[in-house]
Amino acid sequence: MNIMFIGIAYSPFYTAGDKNFFVQLLTELIKKEKVNKIVVISINDLGERVSVQQIGNYRIMIYNLKRSLHINYKKFFHDINNNLYYRHHHGIFQETIERSLCILNNLNLIKFLVQKEQINIIHFMDNFGPIMGFLKKLFPKIKLTYSPPFYNKRVFFYDLYLKYSFKDLDKIFPFTDSYKNILISLGIPEKKTNKNTMWHQII
């Protein structure tokens, strides 16, 4: 099984951000030989174009994409080892436009990696909005999944936004049962949802 992870500001080290879950998850998947290949696409204005996460003898290649627009302002933080990493302010309008354009502007790279690495699953580390459905149409044979951490209704159409963002995904792994129940209430089929602690079930 070969997986491509797509997210925002993924770093190959522990930080104060929410990507620590994936740093640990990718490490466990490799150490337990759950997957053959892992590739990470990270929207990250900081760092080299391509970076590496070394896990034993295995090298996870991380492709850092510059944002296509700079609507949101940058935030820079330091981890416990004083490494600088990048995050940005979240706004549902701005982030959807930024993320979608970044995916569209880097489609050639994504297509190349999907073919080269023979990707079977694309797992989103963040909500990229309806553009996720576009990728499903582009790669109909690839399983698309997402693990939403929490429900944060910021605007009145947030539920509708979630519904159309998730409708073409093959599997959703909410972190809590309450979030799972919300998704079901929005019309997401229950068979598409699993509690995130059982993420390994996908492989």
Side-chain angles (χ1 to χ4, degrees), residues 42-47 49 64-68 70 102 106:
S42 175
I43 298 179
N44 192 343
D45 285 350
L46 197 65
R49 171 70 168 175
N64 296 304
L65 310 181
K66 301 293 183 182
R67 285 182 295 164
S68 300
H70 289 264
C102 194
N106 289 277

Side-chain angles (χ1 to χ4, degrees), residues 69-117:
L69 289 178
H70 289 264
I71 299 174
N72 290 322
Y73 64 83
K74 299 179 184 179
K75 287 185 177 182
F76 294 95
F77 297 90
H78 290 83
D79 72 349
I80 58 175
N81 296 316
N82 209 36
N83 292 308
L84 192 65
Y85 71 99
Y86 157 79
R87 289 176 62 80
H88 72 274
H89 175 69
H90 292 285
I92 192 169
F93 295 105
Q94 301 96 326
E95 69 187 21
T96 301
I97 295 172
E98 283 187 344
R99 296 174 185 188
S100 298
L101 283 177
C102 194
I103 291 294
L104 291 174
N105 288 340
N106 289 277
L107 270 183
N108 288 338
L109 172 64
I110 295 173
K111 289 179 181 178
F112 171 76
L113 292 174
V114 164
Q115 183 176 9
K116 177 187 175 185
E117 306 297 345

Side-chain angles (χ1 to χ4, degrees), residues 105-143:
N105 288 340
N106 289 277
L107 270 183
N108 288 338
L109 172 64
I110 295 173
K111 289 179 181 178
F112 171 76
L113 292 174
V114 164
Q115 183 176 9
K116 177 187 175 185
E117 306 297 345
Q118 299 181 332
I119 297 299
N120 308 110
I121 298 171
I122 294 178
H123 184 80
F124 292 94
M125 295 184 276
D126 298 276
N127 185 0
F128 276 70
I131 194 69
M132 296 188 290
F134 171 74
L135 288 185
K136 183 60 181 178
K137 292 178 175 60
L138 191 64
F139 306 115
K141 295 182 180 180
I142 294 178
K143 187 176 292 186

Side-chain angles (χ1 to χ4, degrees), residues 90-96 151-162:
H90 292 285
I92 192 169
F93 295 105
Q94 301 96 326
E95 69 187 21
T96 301
Y151 177 77
N152 180 18
K153 190 169 184 176
R154 293 171 282 175
V155 290
F156 72 92
F157 60 85
Y158 186 69
D159 288 344
L160 191 63
Y161 171 75
L162 291 182

